[in-house]
């Protein structure tokens, strides 16, 4: 096979920490090459080096057998390298077309030819069967489409080597399927796709070869067909991993969280939640399944105090919490793990210990004489760092110095550790590695057994099935059905998610 | 009589607004690039001083304006380097440039011109008043729109230019991208430092014209700290207009109206001059409070989470 990318002896140190420690990596022309490893293993760092975002301390790179020096992304783009970052790099207020052409805009004499941009983008979208409205404003798009914009951005620049950093973390199963189809189209076009993921079934499904990183080193590169998911997991973590969490049947007690006939508007002024009622009892995990964009986000935001409802009520332990602000929600005993932890859950420039205290900074526990008890807060943070195995974390360092998955763990650690009774977990395992998923799942079950009520929202059906005691399915802002997890089947839930009713089979909405 | 008064008022408004418009044009560019440009008063002050100095020694207004713009641009480059290259906090950089400008002009005022507070001289030439050919004969129109200096016309002509540059050029698109999400701009190969620096330099250019106007046209003298926070007031107008060029200029003209009216009131009704001096700040404050409310309102009903 012809190698289109060859990286040799790459070293990158952040202070004393070697994020990449003498790493060799190569990817062939026309291949899908998966890159896996625990949170903080150094995957993003390696790819950022290839894309010219980070300068390596040592090592060499060859593209198409030619030695190159990639000093900045402009050079990488010139060499036909494109990257979709773990956290999208889009300009929210600009249109799809503007985002795609940004940096190499059509037009003459300095003028920007908006119409030509629209036309070119439409053509491109057509050619790669990636339907999108070039005129839409990026901030109005669901994540799946935002990602499409990112991919089109690379294709517009005629990238031959496409790096996708955890592209599926934010996608629904359907969107993931579409992405895989796109990936296959691209490789049959002779393009190279490097694909970072934590989901081993995706590795098995879409990749030709897989490289495994652990603690800054490359530990193996294998042909996907010659290995199983379990073996791969062991290579990643260095021990065997449980894919299914063990749990006893639930013993639900009093109702902790109750939603009554709730109606909520979306940002676009449409009714996103249309009369939802549900209960979460102490000692149970209630899973909410549904294709993203069916009102889950709006529902959760109301529960977290981030959005107002237009009708209905939310009760916490029997008393109304309607129109509570986030602080009141917390004080009423609710922990909230937002799905977009970077935007909603963290302050990236603030220190790790500060982030671990967010929302609880005013409690008596962490205050002494009207001042923050920094000593106590930092030792509390240190304890969480070791308990949640947050790699590469120094209590005083800003959260943004952590790897993507470890940033997520900071939020989880905080929300699990302040003795809340109700836990709203929105996509809790998004972006974290398999070892961490196992840990998070165990934690959620442990919380349940301690008498917490857990409301789990997930686009990942495996997660819903392995954790929930009861499953609710949402479609077009309405609860389509409720199933006991014991006798629910994936097919049935899938049907409800698509809006197909249990008995009739007719589509509603 | 009444009509004359009204026409005069409009002339006054245009003249009062001009320096604000220049500052607002400069500030708009940096605002779009995501830079809080609090150094514009410093730029303008240096320009005002160099304008007077050069006009006094050469007797040539073109050289005076050139020197003013050059000085202002150099201050802008200084500010840009402090903030963008050496990563100084924007407030520190802004305050440093402001103090440098204030101190430097005061020292040079004494050193080069031998004055401590104010410098004026009959040797300083005045701008000629431009008569606009087509409307020359028409009574009200010619009174309103003819007879200003070249700088006044430039200020208002540059307004659509800046607006178009922002919305229609590649550069404008890049500036907006850099201002909103520098990471994303960098990731498509845009040189963020360069783009930001360009807007800072252009803000220096516009402030240079603004400063030259202040000392050479609006009044024909230099006095210490004579910009009277016009840079900050322009910044307030930009925030109030949320960076929309046309609205921004409209708001600066509104500020101009408030000030021109106040001066009239002082002359005719005789209210205390101190009160008049407070008016621009007062109007600015009201505007900013309005922005504050607007933002809170926006948050409440639209929800911040995108
Ligand atoms: N700018 C930085 N400053 C300091 N440390 C950093 C920086 N960027 C990354 N690191 C550290 O380097 C290590 C590797 O990070 P990297 O982002 O490459 O991990 P990753 O394999 O992509 O993990 P994840 O799966 O969580 O995204 C981490 O320990 C991280 O904390
Ligand atoms: Mg990563």
């Amino acid at each position: 096979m012809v190698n289109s990318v060859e990286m040799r002896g790459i070293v990158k140190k952040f202070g004393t920490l070697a994020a990449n420690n003498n790493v060799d990596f190569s990817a062939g022309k026309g291949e899908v090459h998966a890159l896996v490893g625990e949170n903080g293993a150094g995957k993003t760092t390696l790819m950022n080096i290839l894309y010219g975002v980070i300068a390596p301390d040592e090592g060499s790179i060859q593209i198409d057998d030619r030695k190159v020096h990639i000093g900045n992304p402009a050079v990488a783009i010139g060499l036909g390298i494109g990257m979709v970052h773990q956290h999208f790099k889009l300009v929210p207020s600009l249109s799809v077309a503007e985002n795609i052409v940004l940096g190499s805009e059509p037009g003459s004499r300095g003028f920007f030819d908006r119409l030509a941009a629209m036309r070119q983008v439409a053509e491109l979208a057509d050619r790669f069967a990636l339907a999108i409205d070039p005129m839409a404003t990026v901030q109005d798009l669901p994540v799946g489409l935002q990602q499409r914009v990112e991919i089109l951005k690379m294709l517009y620049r005629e990238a031959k080597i496409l790096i996708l950093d955890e592209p599926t973390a934010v996608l629904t199963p359907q969107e993931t399927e579409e992405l895989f189809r796109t990936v296959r189209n691209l490789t049959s076009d002779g393009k190279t796709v490097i694909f970072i993921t934590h989901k081993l079934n995706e590795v098995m499904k879409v990749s030709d070869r897989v490289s495994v990183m652990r603690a800054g080193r490359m530990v193996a590169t294998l042909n996907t067909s010659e290995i199983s998911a379990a073996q791969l997991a062991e290579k990643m973590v260095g021990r065997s991993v449980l894919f299914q969490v063990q749990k006893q049947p639930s013993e639900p007690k009093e109702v902790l969280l109750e939603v009554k006939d709730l109606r909520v508007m979306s940002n676009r002024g449409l009714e996103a939640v249309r009369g939802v009622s549900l209960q979460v009892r102490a000692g149970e995990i209630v899973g909410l399944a549904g294709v993203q964009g069916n009102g889950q986000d709006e529902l959760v935001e109301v529960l977290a105090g981030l959005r107002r409802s237009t009708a209905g009520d939310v009760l916490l332990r029997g008393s109304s919490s309607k129109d509570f602000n986030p602080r009141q929600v917390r004080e009423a005993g609710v922990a909230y793990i937002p799905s977009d932890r970077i935007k909603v859950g963290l302050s990236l420039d603030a220190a790790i210990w500060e982030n671990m205290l967010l929302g609880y900074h005013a409690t008596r526990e962490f205050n002494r004489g009207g001042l923050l008890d920094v000593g106590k807060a930092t030792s509390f943070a240190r304890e969480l760092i070791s308990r949640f195995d947050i790699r590469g974390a120094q209590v005083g360092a800003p959260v943004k110095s952590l790897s993507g998955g470890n940033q997520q763990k900071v939020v989880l650690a905080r929300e699990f550790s302040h003795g809340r009774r109700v836990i709203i977990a929105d996509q809790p395992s998004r972006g974290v590695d398999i070892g961490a998923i196992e840990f998070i799942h165990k934690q959620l079950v442990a919380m349940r057994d301690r008498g917490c009520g857990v409301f789990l929202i997930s686009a990942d059906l495996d997660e819903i099935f392995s954790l929930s005691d009861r499953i609710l399915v949402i479609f077009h802002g309405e609860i389509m059905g409720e199933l006991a997890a014991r006798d629910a089947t994936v097919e049935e839930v899938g049907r409800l998610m698509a809006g197909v009713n249990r008995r009739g089979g007719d589509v509603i909405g | 009589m009444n009509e004359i008064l009204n026409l005069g008022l409009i002339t006054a408004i245009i003249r009062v607004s001009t320096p604000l418009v220049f500052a607002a044009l400069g500030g708009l560019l940096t605002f779009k690039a995501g830079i809080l440009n609090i150094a514009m008063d410093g730029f303008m002050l240096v320009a005002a001083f160099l304008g007077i100095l050069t006009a006094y020694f050469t007797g040539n207004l073109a050289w005076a304006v050139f020197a003013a713009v050059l000085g202002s641009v150099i201050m802008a480059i200084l500010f840009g380097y402090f903030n963008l290259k050496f990563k100084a906090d924007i407030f520190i950089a802004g305050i440093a440039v402001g103090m440098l400008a204030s101190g430097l002009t005061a020292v040079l005022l004494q050193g080069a011109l031998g004055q401590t507070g104010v410098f004026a001289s009959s040797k300083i030439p005045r701008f000629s008043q431009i008569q606009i050919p087509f409307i020359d004969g028409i009574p009200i129109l010619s009174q309103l729109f003819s007879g200003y200096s070249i700088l006044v016309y430039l200020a208002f002509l540059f307004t659509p230019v800046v607006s178009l540059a922002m919305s229609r050029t590649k550069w404008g698109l890049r500036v907006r991208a850099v201002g909103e999400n520098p990471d994303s701009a960098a990731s498509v190969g845009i040189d963020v430092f360069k783009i930001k620096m360009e807007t800072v330099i252009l803000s220096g250019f516009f402030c240079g014209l603004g400063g030259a106007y202040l000392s050479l046209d609006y009044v024909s003298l230099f006095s210490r700290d004579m910009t009277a926070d016009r840079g900050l007031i322009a910044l307030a107008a930009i925030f109030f207009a949320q960076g929309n060029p046309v609205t921004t200029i409209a708001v600066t003209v509104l500020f101009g109206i408030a000030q021109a009216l106040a001066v009239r009131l002082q002359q005719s009704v005789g209210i205390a001059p101190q009160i008049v001096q407070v008016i621009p700040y007062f109007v600015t404050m009201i505007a900013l409070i309005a922005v504050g409310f607007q933002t809170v309102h926006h948050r409440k009903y639209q929800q911040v989470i995108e």
Side-chain angles (χ1 to χ4, degrees):
Chain A
M1 189 172 10
V2 191
N3 273 340
S4 55
V5 179
E6 186 147 3
M7 304 175 79
R8 274 213 210 102
I10 302 291
V11 176
K12 177 69 201 179
K13 291 208 168 85
F14 292 111
T16 53
L17 177 120
N20 279 177
N21 196 350
N22 199 14
V23 172
D24 293 337
F25 174 81
S26 65
K29 196 165 147 50
E31 105 173 318
V32 181
H33 196 120
L35 183 56
V36 299
E38 290 178 289
N39 294 131
K43 308 178 294 291
T44 299
T45 303
L46 185 69
M47 288 302 114
N48 275 337
I49 289 170
L50 180 57
Y51 192 58
V53 179
I54 297 180
D57 301 331
E58 282 170 42
S60 67
I61 303 177
Q62 291 192 354
I63 301 294
D64 295 332
D65 293 329
R66 221 157 42 84
K67 198 169 154 95
V68 293
H69 173 77
I70 306 176
N72 58 56
V75 176
I77 292 168
L79 289 165
I81 303 170
M83 179 161 179
V84 177
H85 298 265
Q86 192 164 3
H87 308 301
F88 295 164
K89 297 206 185 284
L90 297 169
V91 188
S93 77
L94 297 186
S95 72
V96 167
E98 285 169 333
N99 265 286
I100 290 173
V101 302
L102 186 67
S104 23
E105 308 86 350
S108 54
R109 274 181 277 136
F111 282 97
F112 169 49
D113 189 343
R114 186 168 285 138
L115 286 178
M118 302 256 176
R119 208 175 47 237
Q120 288 172 9
V121 167
E123 277 168 21
L124 195 71
D126 225 35
R127 180 145 69 91
F128 290 96
L130 294 166
I132 199 151
D133 173 10
M135 278 187 288
T137 306
V138 160
Q139 65 197 356
D140 294 338
L141 297 179
V143 271
L145 286 181
Q146 293 193 3
Q147 182 175 72
R148 191 166 284 187
V149 176
E150 287 281 23
I151 293 175
L152 285 165
K153 233 163 98 179
M154 296 191 292
L155 296 173
Y156 178 80
R157 291 168 177 73
E158 297 180 344
K160 304 179 305 228
I161 300 158
L162 294 88
I163 305 164
L164 304 172
D165 193 353
E166 295 193 34
T168 59
V170 294
L171 298 187
T172 64
Q174 286 85 341
E175 288 170 329
T176 303
E177 272 312 312
E178 278 177 49
L179 176 70
F180 287 172
R181 231 170 305 160
T182 307
V183 165
R184 283 192 208 101
N185 281 345
L186 294 172
T187 46
S188 65
D189 236 27
K191 296 186 193 295
T192 302
V193 176
I194 303 169
F195 189 98
I196 300 179
T197 184
H198 288 296
K199 299 180 186 166
L200 299 184
N201 59 340
E202 295 177 351
V203 175
M204 305 312 291
K205 203 162 174 179
V206 81
S207 72
D208 304 305
R209 284 198 300 161
V210 50
S211 288
V212 184
M213 291 187 76
R214 195 190 318 151
R217 290 179 183 278
M218 188 62 80
V219 292
T221 296
L222 307 146
N223 290 327
T224 312
S225 55
E226 292 163 16
I227 191 171
S228 73
Q231 286 169 307
L232 199 53
E234 207 170 325
K235 279 240 176 328
M236 271 170 72
V237 187
R239 62 174 170 87
S240 64
V241 182
L242 281 175
F243 287 102
Q244 183 88 24
V245 57
Q246 312 284 317
K247 67 179 177 36
Q248 304 301 314
S250 68
E251 293 165 27
K253 303 208 170 59
E254 77 276 17
V255 176
L256 291 179
L257 168 70
E258 179 163 18
V259 175
K260 279 187 179 160
D261 204 23
L262 197 72
R263 292 179 180 274
V264 189
M265 303 295 258
S266 74
N267 281 352
R268 276 184 265 177
L270 305 171
E271 190 158 67
V273 176
R274 307 195 297 179
V276 163
S277 300
L278 59 88
Q279 292 187 335
V280 179
R281 294 170 177 274
E284 69 169 350
I285 299 178
V286 177
L288 183 69
V291 177
Q292 215 170 7
N294 275 286
Q296 298 97 317
D297 291 353
E298 287 81 1
L299 172 63
V300 168
E301 281 169 23
V302 169
L303 298 183
L306 292 165
R307 183 182 285 274
R308 295 280 157 91
S309 54
T310 47
D313 206 353
V314 178
L315 306 171
L316 285 169
R317 283 192 253 188
S319 54
S320 173
S321 70
K322 195 173 159 63
D323 293 345
F324 269 18
N325 63 32
R327 177 169 194 156
Q328 291 168 309
V329 169
R330 272 175 200 283
E331 281 165 0
V334 177
Y336 171 48
I337 300 162
S339 63
D340 190 340
R341 293 181 266 279
I342 307 304
K343 252 190 218 152
V344 184
L346 292 168
S347 168
L348 288 183
D349 289 311
I352 291 172
W353 72 267
E354 289 170 323
N355 272 282
M356 285 179 162
L357 210 60
L358 278 184
Y360 302 96
H361 50 277
T363 55
R364 195 167 313 144
E365 198 187 343
F366 294 105
N367 282 269
R368 208 176 39 195
L371 294 175
L372 207 56
D373 188 343
V374 177
K376 193 159 180 194
T378 47
S379 64
F380 171 73
R382 244 178 235 118
E383 186 195 315
L384 291 190
I385 287 171
S386 76
R387 193 143 66 82
F388 283 78
D389 190 21
I390 302 174
R391 303 276 169 91
Q394 313 257 297
V395 273
V399 159
K400 68 173 174 200
S401 72
L402 292 177
S403 79
N406 282 311
Q407 292 179 3
Q408 319 250 22
K409 286 194 198 168
V410 171
V411 179
L412 293 160
R414 176 182 73 216
E415 297 302 322
F416 281 160
S417 320
H418 289 272
R420 306 286 106 174
R421 281 298 301 282
V422 177
I423 295 159
I424 299 171
D426 194 356
Q427 325 290 346
S429 55
R430 171 180 289 174
V432 298
D433 64 49
I434 45 171
I437 291 176
E438 184 190 9
F439 177 79
I440 291 163
H441 285 183
K442 277 188 186 156
Q443 285 288 318
L444 285 171
V445 171
M447 303 290 247
R448 179 199 80 162
D449 293 343
R450 244 181 282 147
C452 292
V454 179
F455 187 39
L456 168 75
I457 300 92
S458 180
D460 181 354
L461 278 186
D462 292 340
E463 180 164 52
I464 292 272
F465 272 88
S466 85
L467 284 178
S468 309
D469 300 308
R470 280 190 297 134
I471 299 174
L472 303 173
V473 183
I474 192 167
F475 175 75
H476 274 211
E478 292 178 53
I479 300 291
M480 295 297 294
E482 179 185 326
L483 310 146
R486 261 174 289 114
D487 33 60
T489 64
V490 177
E491 289 70 32
E492 192 171 11
V493 172
R495 258 201 312 279
L496 291 171
M497 281 169 66
V500 182
N501 210 328
R502 229 193 287 200
R503 277 146 285 135
D506 44 327
V507 176
I508 303 170
Chain B
M1 169 69 202
N2 215 348
E3 193 187 47
I4 304 291
L5 188 82
N6 282 336
L7 285 182
L9 181 63
I10 289 178
T11 312
I13 289 168
I14 290 177
R15 288 179 50 81
V16 172
S17 304
T18 298
L20 286 173
V21 170
F22 275 126
L25 290 174
L28 260 172
L29 296 170
T30 44
F31 176 84
K32 291 284 191 188
I35 298 165
L36 184 66
N37 193 345
I38 56 166
M40 290 193 293
D41 279 295
F43 304 170
M44 280 198 282
L45 190 65
V46 166
F49 178 78
L50 288 178
I52 281 288
L53 188 77
T54 315
Y56 176 71
F57 284 114
T58 66
N60 182 325
L61 281 172
W63 279 114
V65 173
F66 176 77
V69 169
L70 187 70
S72 177
V73 166
I74 289 173
M75 293 303 279
I77 291 174
L78 216 60
F79 174 65
Y81 262 85
F82 279 161
N83 178 235
L84 301 173
K85 201 86 196 175
F86 307 126
K87 309 284 180 214
D89 181 88
I90 194 91
F91 284 99
I92 308 285
I95 291 168
V97 166
M99 285 180 12
L100 179 66
S102 176
L104 201 66
T105 50
V107 167
L108 287 175
L109 182 64
Q110 178 128 52
L113 300 168
Q115 296 291 331
T116 49
V118 181
F119 176 80
S121 160
S122 55
K123 275 169 69 187
I124 295 168
R126 308 282 330 227
F127 279 100
S128 58
Q129 302 185 341
I130 294 179
Q131 302 300 324
I132 298 181
F134 308 104
I135 59 169
D136 216 6
I138 310 165
I140 294 179
L141 275 185
S142 69
Q143 276 164 287
L144 279 184
F145 296 115
S146 265
Y148 302 100
S149 78
I150 174 83
L151 290 175
V152 175
Y153 295 107
L154 273 182
F156 288 93
L157 283 178
F158 269 124
T159 301
V161 173
V162 167
S163 176
L164 281 180
M166 272 299 127
S167 62
R168 292 292 161 79
T169 66
K170 296 180 185 184
W171 183 78
L173 183 68
R174 290 175 185 194
V175 169
R176 283 183 286 146
V178 163
E180 198 173 328
N181 191 349
D183 277 352
S184 85
S187 77
V188 291
I190 293 173
D191 188 339
V192 173
F193 170 76
K194 182 165 154 273
I195 294 272
K196 287 197 171 192
M197 203 63 200
E198 285 165 359
T199 65
V200 170
I201 289 172
L202 279 170
S203 87
F205 169 77
F206 285 119
C207 288
L209 292 176
Y213 172 84
L214 268 184
S215 65
L216 294 170
D217 186 358
Y218 189 59
V219 291
S220 191
L221 56 80
F222 178 84
S223 67
R224 285 192 62 177
D225 298 326
M226 71 184 294
T227 63
D229 295 326
R230 281 180 177 82
L232 292 180
I233 291 172
L235 205 57
I238 294 166
F239 274 90
F240 184 75
Q242 292 170 350
N244 180 303
V246 176
T247 320
T248 301
I249 300 308
V251 174
T252 56
V253 172
L254 261 176
F255 286 173
I257 292 175
Q259 204 174 354
L261 264 178
V263 174
R264 298 257 139 170
L265 281 178
Q266 186 193 352
Q267 286 160 355
S268 55
V269 188
I271 50 172
Q274 286 85 348
I275 291 185
V276 174
Q277 279 159 15
V278 164
I279 281 185
Y281 303 101
F282 185 70
V283 174
T284 310
M285 213 169 75
I286 299 284
L288 287 179
I289 289 171
V291 179
F293 272 116
Q294 205 179 340
T295 322
V296 170
H297 190 268
H298 194 71
R299 264 203 206 127
K300 240 188 204 139
Y301 291 91
Q302 235 228 308
Q303 298 299 332
V304 267
I305 302 137
E306 326 164 303

